[in-house]
Amino acid sequence: MLQKLIINTEQGSSMLKQAIGNDTKGKISMLAYMIAAGLAIIQPWIAQALYVILALLWLIPDRRIERMLYSTEKDGKSRE
């Protein structure tokens, strides 16, 4: 939600928007959280497992923004 707010505030060509792209990881996470919430009523242990998997997924560093900043710096230096 914070990413979307920043992108909407910047409007136009946002570096964050370019770095994030279509945000597949975020969309999959939201879907999985909704599924886990529904499963919590039927099979709590499956919901708990999904929550743990999602938490572990987000512990893996997301390098998209770093790559974007690196490529921008690289392009800026090559123009000089």
Side-chain angles (χ1 to χ4, degrees):
M1 291 176 75
L2 179 60
Q3 289 175 351
K4 289 184 185 258
L5 180 64
I6 293 170
I7 290 169
N8 289 339
T9 302
E10 290 181 350
Q11 297 179 356
S13 61
S14 167
M15 282 181 58
L16 179 61
K17 184 177 182 177
Q18 293 173 5
I20 300 300
N22 64 5
D23 195 24
T24 305
K25 185 177 177 182
K27 290 176 183 175
I28 289 172
S29 293
M30 284 300 241
L31 179 64
Y33 276 119
M34 287 189 283
I35 291 170
L39 284 173
I41 297 168
I42 303 166
Q43 291 291 333
W45 68 272
I46 295 175
Q48 290 173 351
L50 264 173
Y51 290 135
V52 169
I53 290 168
L54 287 167
L56 293 174
L57 176 71
W58 284 98
L59 284 176
I60 300 169
D62 191 349
R63 304 282 187 218
R64 294 178 290 185
I65 296 171
E66 291 176 22
R67 280 192 297 247
M68 181 65 161
L69 289 174
Y70 177 74
S71 69
T72 303
E73 286 178 2
K74 189 176 175 182
D75 290 344
K77 289 180 182 178
S78 64
R79 290 181 193 160
E80 293 177 0

